[in-house]
Amino acid sequence: MMLNVCRRRIISRSHSWSSHSVQKAFFGKNTTMTYFRITTAFLLLLSNLAALPATGEEWETCAAIKELGTPSLDRFDYTVSIGVDVDCEYTLKISFKHDETLPIPSNRTAQCDPTIAPPELALDNLPYFGFRWFYEKVPDDVAKVTGIDHISIDWNPCGHPPLDKFGAPHYDLHIYRETPEFRTCMTCTKPPGAPICDPTPGSQTTDSGLVIGVQCSATDQPSNMPADFVVGMDAMVPLMGGHAWNPSHEPLSSLEWDTPVWVMGPYDGGIVDYEPMIPLAFVIGDTNHEHSESLVYEGQTIDDLPSSYSVNYDTTTSMTTVVLVGSSADKKCKANNNAPKKKKCKESKNKKDKSSKNKIGKSSKNKID
């Protein structure tokens, strides 16, 4: 089986990681670290956190469920609710509060440098540059309407590649359409020193590794994604899937990142998840923040993908609310909505009213007696 990829739209972003601006934005002006060391260190970090097999090996079995993080969102005062209108359009609200006990680096040069050994540990006994993952299944009524299985709120104190764009502390609010158990089996063969799926032709030989491709429309635009989204083949990550976004929506630099960025997660020719990446600057402070976008998909085959999203931060509650609007996946809702309405003739209605009136009269009479 060959990888199903879009030649024009799927590119490697590795060139954007190697610029001098990456080092300048992430580590400051006086760093002597090269790009190679930065990127390699981050990839090795991911390998250690996810307990991946040795370099060049294939996963013969699924990963342990614990590799997905902590199965609870209680620390974020997390709530989720849903409503469906008469036109079978859902409105999903996901609310959370920034957890002030999560680490934030005070000295990025020292604390966010994965090559320093031993690394400086945060209060949770993890390196500052380590990722913190937390997830929880959504209620059954939410899953039925949206096709969503669970939500993972992932905290990145030092950001992640591309560091010149997303190297600031931020949340990745992954909204998964597959179960945690399914994700543990999203495995593949990796290139040397990296936990990404090897994009080299012929490198994937396992069943799970062979499905990392992306479904494309006739115009080589990735299907089920907004126009101009780009999929990096070096961004296919085991246990998570791919990552794609519109490069024109990237911040000028990580130092100027202050609004959410929408990301799609391709896997096995479909979409395994989608997410707003939300910088810390958006979810704290004394000023309300609002951001919204409409989402129109090219070659759409998944009807319940959200048609719009918004992210709002409220200073009075310190809560951040993500609102998704889309078409309900509940077949009963659509069936009932499309069913022809039966019209009652006037005579039948009069007879019913008369009958009801007689019954009421009798009841009143008996009661008086």
Side-chain angles (χ1 to χ4, degrees):
M1 182 184 297
M2 298 297 292
L3 294 182
N4 181 18
V5 299
C6 314
R7 293 184 180 180
R8 293 208 311 258
R9 302 305 303 161
I10 297 183
I11 63 173
S12 169
R13 289 193 179 89
S14 59
H15 67 279
S16 66
W17 301 0
S18 62
S19 66
H20 177 68
S21 62
V22 174
Q23 303 174 41
K24 184 176 179 181
F26 193 66
F27 292 99
K29 297 181 180 179
N30 299 321
T31 180
T32 57
M33 180 180 292
T34 64
Y35 154 72
F36 177 79
R37 291 173 61 200
I38 296 174
T39 303
T40 299
F42 261 94
L43 294 176
L44 290 175
L45 164 66
L46 285 173
S47 295
N48 292 333
L49 289 179
L52 304 182
T55 296
E57 291 185 0
E58 299 171 352
W59 249 314
E60 297 299 338
T61 59
C62 300
I65 194 74
K66 66 180 181 180
E67 307 303 339
L68 302 183
T70 303
S72 172
L73 297 178
D74 290 346
R75 69 185 300 160
F76 300 106
D77 291 342
Y78 157 84
T79 62
V80 61
S81 62
I82 194 165
V84 182
D85 65 18
V86 294
D87 295 320
C88 294
E89 184 175 75
Y90 69 78
T91 299
L92 176 68
K93 295 183 179 180
I94 304 166
S95 296
F96 72 98
K97 181 185 293 185
H98 168 62
D99 184 353
E100 295 181 351
T101 67
L102 289 169
I104 299 175
S106 57
N107 184 339
R108 298 179 63 81
T109 302
Q111 296 168 333
C112 291
D113 184 347
T115 66
I116 296 177
E120 182 177 346
L121 301 181
L123 293 179
D124 59 3
N125 291 320
L126 290 175
Y128 279 90
F129 49 75
F131 303 149
R132 280 78 174 168
W133 298 345
F134 310 89
Y135 70 94
E136 194 168 302
K137 300 273 282 188
V138 300
D140 290 343
D141 60 334
V142 173
K144 185 177 182 180
V145 170
T146 65
I148 296 169
D149 181 84
H150 65 285
I151 294 170
S152 185
I153 300 180
D154 304 339
W155 172 242
N156 309 284
C158 295
H160 57 61
L163 299 176
D164 58 335
K165 304 297 184 180
F166 305 126
H170 70 273
Y171 285 101
D172 290 338
L173 200 152
H174 288 278
I175 302 169
Y176 283 100
R177 297 171 47 80
E178 296 289 355
T179 66
E181 292 75 17
F182 180 93
R183 287 178 56 205
T184 64
C185 297
M186 292 169 55
T187 58
C188 60
T189 302
K190 306 173 303 301
I196 62 172
C197 299
D198 194 339
T200 306
S203 62
Q204 301 299 328
T205 58
T206 63
D207 289 342
S208 58
L210 287 170
V211 298
I212 65 172
V214 180
Q215 176 114 15
C216 308
S217 66
T219 59
D220 282 346
Q221 156 74 36
S223 297
N224 293 302
M225 295 189 201
D228 298 321
F229 265 48
V230 175
V231 183
M233 283 308 293
D234 53 1
M236 296 287 179
V237 181
L239 311 183
M240 294 179 68
H243 297 78
W245 62 88
N246 187 334
S248 68
H249 293 173
E250 295 175 350
L252 294 177
S253 77
S254 61
L255 300 177
E256 301 176 57
W257 186 19
D258 59 4
T259 57
V261 175
W262 186 255
V263 177
M264 303 294 296
Y267 182 77
D268 194 12
I271 301 297
V272 71
D273 81 298
Y274 40 82
E275 58 163 312
M277 290 196 299
I278 311 173
L280 175 63
F282 192 91
V283 300
I284 60 174
D286 299 326
T287 304
N288 290 336
H289 298 140
E290 298 180 1
H291 177 80
S292 62
E293 290 182 43
S294 295
L295 300 169
V296 179
Y297 304 92
E298 300 293 321
Q300 184 171 0
T301 60
I302 305 173
D303 294 337
D304 48 74
L305 293 175
S307 57
S308 69
Y309 86 98
S310 64
V311 187
N312 301 281
Y313 168 70
D314 185 354
T315 59
T316 59
T317 62
S318 297
M319 297 294 290
T320 298
T321 300
V322 177
V323 179
L324 305 180
V325 176
S327 178
S328 173
D330 186 357
K331 295 181 179 179
K332 288 185 178 180
C333 177
K334 294 180 180 180
N336 292 337
N337 197 48
N338 294 331
K341 307 299 181 183
K342 293 183 178 180
K343 295 183 179 180
K344 298 178 180 178
C345 63
K346 193 171 184 179
E347 182 181 359
S348 297
K349 184 177 181 180
N350 290 338
K351 286 183 178 180
K352 182 178 180 181
D353 291 345
K354 184 177 180 180
S355 175
S356 300
K357 185 176 181 180
N358 290 338
K359 288 181 179 179
I360 294 174
K362 287 183 178 179
S363 177
S364 300
K365 184 177 180 181
N366 292 335
K367 187 174 182 181
I368 293 173
D369 292 340

